[in-house]
Amino acid sequence: MNKSLEAMETHAPIRILGIESSCDETAAAVVENGYRICSSEVASQIDVHAVYGGVVPELASRRHLEAVIPVVASAMAAAGMRFADLDAVAATRGPGLAGALLVGFSFAKALAYGLNIPMVGVNHLEGHLNSVFLTHDPPEFPFAALLVSGGHTSLYHVTSHTACELLGATRDDAAGEAFDKVSKMMGTGYPGGAVIGQLAEKGDRKRIEFPRPWIDRTKFDFSFSGLKSAVARYLETRPDWKKEMPDIAAGFQEAVVDVLSEKLIRAAESSGCRRAVVVGGVAANGRLREVVREQAEKKGMKVHIPPPDLCGDNAAMIAAAGFHYFREGRRDALDADVFSRQRIG
Ligand code: KG4
Ligand code: ZN
């Protein structure tokens, strides 16, 4: 447990209800003091979007509208709490799909107004960075963090719960997006990350050598669209590619993992902090977790990766980040708006 958070345990815990609705998950969670999960409910919309091969924004908003009240009610029930036990409501303010964000954010504003408690709008990316504090072994500051999701692939030097410096980011596709697109090309469905990960486990990761998109080995930027095109070209030239699917998945995954892990370890080394963190949906990838751990061990570095259920979008990470905003006195007015884009660092 983080020392400063532990010190707070002598006081009554601060309880935050977190709400997340930035993309295709409606989630609610109650977290105490920014690290203890009392409940965490996630209603996935995968069934709605899978038939279209990607997220349909209008359908996402409608499903959030249907789900937000039952999901919040079940998070409160699972925590065994009443609304009167809450100190604040935190909701994702952005980045994400504006119509989807509006549902959770507006609901949070109404709830906070009704309960006469503060409302804090949380940056989704800071939510992911704080997910690593919901574990039994949180990192000390500063640390290097790789945030890999469906919408983002960035490296940060993180100095506090709410402060970081952006070291590099993808210039085109996010890593999760590349997994999703390769899955679409092979007809294995949406979202593709978990499916490609499972296929890859059965494949030979050395047989097909896809290009490693380093850009510049000394920089922390990424690019995955060339790798995606290399997989498309491979499929075009091999009429029998269906028989090779596990090897294609394994070769593609290995190229992504090589670049992500090497740049993360180098970022931790170059900043001298020697602590590496991986967060976001792609952090659930077994091979990425394994390679980051192997490379870090060689350098005597410590690695912190949340358990898979805290890697994908969830509201516990929003409540955790919201706790730190709340402690810093940050509040959102009832006329605050959502934002579809906003970088951190
Ligand atoms: O963080 P997240 O749930 O949502 C965003 O904020 O984008 O990340 C979703 C992304 C999707 O692109 C999904 O395919 C990918 O994470 N993903 C994975 C795995 N599980 C989810 N990618 C690779 N391997 C996995 N096991
Ligand atoms: Zn996310």
Side-chain angles (χ1 to χ4, degrees):
M1 196 192 304
N2 184 302
K3 288 262 179 313
S4 60
L5 296 180
E6 203 172 10
M8 294 196 55
E9 292 293 273
T10 50
H11 305 284
I14 292 177
R15 291 167 172 163
I16 312 261
L17 169 69
I19 299 176
E20 154 66 33
S21 70
S22 67
C23 190
D24 58 351
E25 259 101 26
T26 319
V30 179
V31 173
E32 284 182 346
N33 289 349
Y35 72 90
R36 190 187 301 121
I37 301 176
C38 303
S39 65
S40 181
E41 303 287 312
V42 181
S44 168
Q45 304 184 353
I46 286 175
D47 56 332
V48 177
H49 306 288
V51 279
Y52 301 97
V55 178
V56 182
E58 179 57 29
L59 297 183
S61 312
R62 289 188 207 174
R63 185 51 85 90
H64 284 306
L65 263 179
E66 290 162 6
V68 69
I69 292 175
V71 168
V72 168
S74 63
M76 294 305 297
M81 286 182 202
R82 295 161 302 138
F83 284 124
D85 297 322
L86 298 173
D87 293 281
V89 184
T92 307
R93 190 173 173 186
L97 303 169
L101 287 163
L102 268 173
V103 177
F105 195 64
S106 306
F107 182 84
K109 284 198 279 193
L111 189 60
Y113 181 72
L115 297 172
N116 197 23
I117 57 176
M119 142 78 188
V120 272
V122 171
N123 184 300
H124 183 81
L125 307 176
E126 278 180 346
H128 275 300
L129 289 176
N130 275 282
S131 64
V132 78
F133 294 95
L134 295 164
T135 63
H136 294 297
D137 179 30
E140 281 172 32
F141 295 111
F143 55 83
L146 171 69
L147 194 165
V148 262
S149 69
H152 297 87
T153 295
S154 311
L155 264 171
Y156 299 99
H157 177 65
V158 182
T159 49
S160 83
H161 289 283
T162 56
C164 63
E165 181 198 343
L166 179 67
L167 302 175
T170 184
R171 297 181 183 181
D172 40 58
D173 294 348
E177 199 179 349
F179 270 92
D180 294 338
K181 287 179 177 170
V182 166
S183 177
K184 201 169 182 176
M185 282 181 224
M186 296 207 288
T188 50
Y190 175 86
V195 186
I196 296 290
Q198 280 157 14
L199 258 181
E201 274 175 31
K202 294 180 233 141
D204 177 346
R205 45 182 187 256
K206 296 217 175 89
R207 192 173 72 78
I208 310 167
E209 177 96 2
F210 287 114
R212 268 61 177 155
W214 295 112
I215 311 178
D216 175 340
R217 256 186 138 108
T218 65
K219 298 230 163 67
F220 297 121
D221 284 344
F222 302 94
S223 165
F224 293 105
S225 73
L227 172 60
K228 173 192 71 192
S229 308
V231 175
R233 278 196 303 278
Y234 188 86
L235 300 184
E236 277 162 24
T237 55
R238 312 279 290 200
D240 259 355
W241 61 263
K242 286 210 162 130
K243 294 190 183 135
E244 300 178 73
M245 271 163 60
D247 289 354
I248 298 169
F252 159 77
Q253 176 176 272
E254 204 63 8
V256 176
V257 165
D258 258 5
V259 177
L260 292 177
S261 54
E262 188 181 310
K263 292 204 181 205
L264 168 63
I265 299 298
R266 207 157 30 73
E269 228 175 358
S270 70
S271 63
C273 61
R274 314 191 62 74
R275 278 178 289 273
V277 163
V278 191
V279 293
V282 185
N285 184 277
R287 183 69 186 146
L288 177 62
R289 299 169 82 93
E290 180 179 57
V291 174
V292 166
R293 290 214 164 92
E294 271 167 23
Q295 292 197 7
E297 200 172 303
K298 279 188 211 145
K299 309 257 178 188
M301 271 181 203
K302 236 187 139 197
V303 174
H304 304 262
I305 309 176
D309 60 332
L310 290 174
C311 292
D313 286 346
N314 65 84
M317 68 184 197
I318 301 303
F323 167 78
H324 296 284
Y325 286 35
F326 177 81
R327 279 219 307 182
E328 289 171 6
R330 287 159 70 176
R331 308 286 184 261
D332 274 315
L334 293 177
D335 62 354
D337 206 354
V338 297
F339 43 77
S340 52
R341 286 168 184 272
Q342 193 187 58
R343 52 172 269 186
I344 51 167

